[in-house]
Amino acid sequence: MTQPFSGAAGDTFVAHEVVVLVVVADEPPVPLPARLRYDRADPYAVCLSLGGASTGTVDWVFARSLLTEGLVRPAGRGDVLVVPPHRCHRHSVRVVLRSAAGTAVVSIAASAVATFLAETGRVVPAGAEGLHIDLDRLVAELVAGSG
């Protein structure tokens, strides 16, 4: 189930509601509501929010380019890895999330990821992210955090 929502041309965000399958060690797979989000204000990043209003959410923020590359070949290092569809998982992209608490594998329909990424490209085309960075805001945040 995928429910995209974004508004008219000129919008600055894209969000897709999806149901994902989450697998953690020694536990059966669990379907969870999730949301893929993209905002022009942070043009290099996407956010994967797991859970819902009743359970609370856990947000993972990582590079849009990582998700894009992960549609066609394994991508990433460290806390977030993206694995494309293959023989055993023909219709899903798997996002491996690692933290001090452990590792979870999140399976998302590949078609939902592709649609989401296409819509993010309409908000900010790949390669044009630098044109949407607000350097004044970034410097102000860095200076405020150092005091």
Side-chain angles (χ1 to χ4, degrees), residues 135-147:
L135 290 177
D136 292 334
R137 180 185 56 84
L138 183 60
V139 169
E141 288 176 5
L142 289 171
V143 170
S146 67

Side-chain angles (χ1 to χ4, degrees), residues 12-138:
T12 63
F13 74 94
V14 175
H16 276 239
E17 301 283 339
V18 294
V19 174
V20 300
L21 193 62
V22 179
V23 178
V24 295
D26 302 322
E27 297 291 333
V30 176
L32 281 179
R35 177 184 283 183
L36 287 165
R37 293 189 323 256
Y38 178 79
D39 191 325
R40 185 185 314 171
D42 193 359
Y44 290 102
V46 295
C47 180
L48 172 61
S49 295
L50 301 170
S54 63
T55 61
T57 60
V58 176
D59 293 340
W60 285 80
V61 178
F62 51 94
R64 174 173 68 163
S65 61
L66 178 65
L67 191 58
T68 301
E69 183 178 349
L71 273 176
V72 293
R73 67 182 146 272
R77 295 183 190 169
D79 293 344
V80 180
L81 308 170
V82 183
V83 182
H86 65 75
R87 289 186 308 257
C88 298
H89 300 276
R90 294 176 124 153
H91 304 290
S92 64
V93 171
R94 287 169 296 132
V95 180
V96 180
L97 304 172
R98 297 178 181 157
S99 73
T103 299
V105 178
V106 179
S107 293
I108 309 169
S111 59
V113 173
T115 299
F116 170 74
L117 288 170
E119 290 185 20
T120 70
R122 286 190 275 283
V123 173
V124 175
E129 294 90 350
L131 300 173
H132 298 278
I133 297 290
D134 182 350
L135 290 177
D136 292 334
R137 180 185 56 84
L138 183 60

